[in-house]
Amino acid sequence: MSKRVLKILFSGLFLVQLLGAQDPRGRILGRVRDISGAVIPGARVTATNAETGVVAAAEANEAGNYQLLYLNPGRYRLAVEHPGFKRFERSEVEVRVGDAIALDVSLEPGQITESVTVTAETPLLETSEATVGQLVDRRRLSDLPLAGGNPAYLLQLTPGIISTNASSHGWFPHAVDATSNIAAVGTRTRASQFALDGNPIMSQNGQASYSPPPEMVQEMKVQTAPFDASQGGFSGANFNIVTRSGNNEWHGDLWFSHYSRPLMTRNFFVNRFIFDPKTGPITEEKKKSQWPPTQTNRYRATFSGPVVRNKTFFVFGYDKLFRKRPVTGTNTVPTLRQRSGDFGDLLALGSRYQIYDPATTAPAAAGRFSRQPLPGNIIPASRIDPLAKRLLEFYPLPNSAENPEGRNNFISPVGTKIDYYSYSVRADHTFSEKHRMFGSFSWSDLSEPAE
């Protein structure tokens, strides 16, 4: 494949990323004036990312206004300079997901070799957009406990957001149906939108299709009242999850968790069966039969770094979950007497359990039909199909006599397995101070093989 074709495919990947998406990057905008308040057209404004060294540049227009667009979330150093004025510098300008930071600059007369540096001020607030919500930053993702290692768990920190899952739910990454059970600001469950890097990741019925590992997430922005025209198609909140970019430092993370039967306790229903004298003597075999081995292993790994320093970066993430657990199953199976056609025990419960012989169907008055009862509720052995007898050999015998009708008389654990994995990758490239692009790709697979 030629280099030209590769470039076209690579560009197409990033162009598709932008179609129909709300850009998750932020911007810095403002006006440049002198100390008398007069605007300064042509002033050069640059913002340098503290971690990647990527520079974004713009010039103030005839009204002194400037905009630095498409800035990845992170900390920036802002610099403004113009001939005849001292250079202005401000560090620690934090740009978050979708922010529009308004920062006006006042330049002092002097030589451009001189500079005015601002190092400590009140953190900048976003005042240029009418949105209500909250940001879940990288520090919260790193320091706060995450149920199931799922970053979406922290969305509940936002006022007006509640989860409608059971409090004991595991929040594992494959359970995207449960992750989507969010009610926001008075709307019904699953009335919100989930987006990854600005692209909606909804499948159907208000369900998100993917949950990234926390190490791949830079920030999450929750907009509970998006009043501007950039949002639509939902009545709840907008959850914008943004993947993190690589930087000039090589970095890797490894994470592993494990729990199994020795670290757990049996639930109420399993204990009820084990310690019920009606189900037989309490033995270790009985306990093991109702609480088979349970195991959950989770592996996560991320790797990031520069391809070209200050220019091209990548980050790769892998998430693997294997889970094996029992679920108590309740079924109804025929008793030993019923297998031979004897249902006489049911007659003791009332005449409504009488079995009638379909071979004795005869016309009755008023256009109806009648059948003769089987004596003693016993089906003659000659009337039972030989194939049915063979099939009955594969049915287990009842192990519970709690229900006199014989319903739900077989209780057993049903083993379930979950085999889940996902891949995530993001690449950022800077062409110049005014041209940058990024692309992210995620893939997940869930298999639930039978035990």
Side-chain angles (χ1 to χ4, degrees):
M1 185 178 293
S2 66
K3 291 184 178 180
R4 180 180 178 83
V5 174
L6 285 174
K7 288 181 179 179
I8 293 174
L9 291 176
F10 188 68
S11 300
L13 170 65
F14 289 102
L15 288 174
V16 170
Q17 181 79 7
L18 297 176
L19 294 178
Q22 181 204 15
D23 200 303
R25 295 168 290 186
R27 64 187 189 274
I28 302 174
L29 66 159
R31 176 172 289 183
V32 182
R33 295 185 175 96
D34 61 19
I35 57 176
S36 68
V39 299
I40 305 177
R44 176 178 168 81
V45 185
T46 60
T48 306
N49 189 297
E51 294 183 338
T52 63
V54 172
V55 178
E59 288 188 359
N61 61 16
E62 63 276 4
N65 296 320
Y66 73 91
Q67 279 198 95
L68 297 168
L69 304 175
Y70 311 123
L71 303 177
N72 284 332
R75 295 176 296 107
Y76 287 83
R77 182 177 68 256
L78 187 76
V80 183
E81 57 185 31
H82 192 271
F85 294 89
K86 296 179 181 179
R87 175 185 171 90
F88 173 90
E89 291 186 2
R90 173 165 179 166
S91 59
E92 298 300 324
V93 178
E94 184 176 3
V95 178
R96 299 168 300 184
V97 177
D99 268 357
I101 300 296
L103 180 55
D104 293 337
V105 176
S106 179
L107 297 183
E108 299 180 7
Q111 298 297 321
I112 198 170
T113 54
E114 301 177 277
S115 64
V116 176
T117 303
V118 179
T119 57
E121 276 192 10
T122 303
L124 294 170
L125 301 177
E126 183 182 0
T127 59
S128 58
E129 290 189 351
T131 60
V132 179
Q134 183 168 315
L135 181 85
V136 179
D137 58 19
R138 185 70 195 158
R139 181 176 180 182
R140 288 183 174 89
L141 289 166
S142 300
D143 296 347
L144 295 181
L146 302 178
N150 192 334
Y153 183 74
L154 297 184
L155 297 175
Q156 301 173 82
L157 296 176
T158 305
I161 303 295
I162 62 171
S163 170
T164 56
N165 291 318
S167 58
S168 59
H169 194 273
W171 285 84
F172 287 115
H174 65 275
V176 290
D177 55 337
T179 300
S180 308
N181 290 335
I182 296 290
V185 291
T187 60
R188 65 178 180 84
T189 301
R190 296 197 177 194
S192 301
Q193 174 177 269
F194 287 80
L196 183 65
D197 288 333
N199 294 294
I201 53 173
M202 312 302 294
S203 55
Q204 59 182 356
N205 300 323
Q207 179 172 308
S209 60
Y210 178 65
S211 179
E215 292 81 10
M216 284 293 297
V217 178
Q218 174 68 26
E219 295 177 349
M220 299 187 299
K221 187 171 185 179
V222 185
Q223 293 173 276
T224 53
F227 294 113
D228 57 69
S230 65
Q231 300 291 346
F234 57 94
S235 58
N238 181 59
F239 305 112
N240 195 0
I241 305 171
V242 178
T243 55
R244 69 182 182 92
S245 167
N247 54 47
N248 284 325
E249 301 294 330
W250 293 100
H251 186 78
D253 293 286
L254 294 174
W255 190 93
F256 172 75
S257 69
H258 165 83
Y259 72 86
S260 56
R261 187 169 59 181
L263 304 175
M264 305 172 64
T265 185
R266 296 183 295 266
N267 63 47
F268 168 81
F269 300 100
V270 172
N271 281 333
R272 179 186 177 187
F273 178 84
I274 291 175
F275 296 103
D276 187 352
K278 298 179 181 178
T279 62
I282 303 172
T283 62
E284 287 300 319
E285 289 72 18
K286 183 180 181 182
K287 293 179 181 179
K288 292 179 180 179
S289 68
Q290 295 302 311
W291 193 242
T294 301
Q295 177 180 298
T296 300
N297 288 330
R298 179 90 178 271
Y299 311 84
R300 297 201 304 265
T302 57
F303 183 64
S304 63
V307 178
V308 179
R309 291 182 63 84
N310 299 332
K311 192 170 185 178
T312 307
F313 313 93
F314 81 96
V315 58
F316 172 80
Y318 175 72
D319 192 358
K320 170 70 175 179
L321 171 70
F322 178 80
R323 192 180 192 195
K324 180 181 179 180
R325 66 189 181 102
V327 176
T328 301
T330 303
N331 300 277
T332 300
V333 297
T335 64
L336 190 61
R337 292 181 59 181
Q338 289 172 351
R339 293 165 193 248
S340 63
D342 187 351
F343 292 83
D345 291 342
L346 293 176
L347 282 178
L349 302 178
S351 60
R352 65 182 183 277
Y353 294 98
Q354 176 65 58
I355 299 176
Y356 292 85
D357 188 353
T360 62
T361 304
R368 306 181 67 181
F369 295 86
S370 66
R371 293 176 178 175
Q372 298 300 316
L374 285 169
N377 248 15
I378 299 175
I379 302 173
S382 61
R383 302 282 296 278
I384 301 177
D385 189 275
L387 181 59
K389 290 183 179 180
R390 293 298 306 273
L391 291 175
L392 285 172
E393 297 176 2
F394 295 95
Y395 278 77
L397 291 172
N399 59 10
S400 174
E402 185 174 345
N403 189 291
E405 295 179 336
R407 291 184 290 109
N408 301 326
N409 60 1
F410 182 74
I411 301 174
S412 66
V414 180
T416 62
K417 289 183 179 180
I418 293 173
D419 192 0
Y420 169 87
Y421 68 88
S422 72
Y423 298 97
S424 305
V425 64
R426 170 171 171 150
D428 292 74
H429 180 70
T430 301
F431 294 99
S432 66
E433 292 180 346
K434 295 185 178 180
H435 297 89
R436 297 173 301 280
M437 71 176 184
F438 83 97
S440 61
F441 177 81
S442 301
W443 170 273
S444 63
D445 181 79
L446 172 63
S447 176
E448 298 182 79
E451 179 73 0

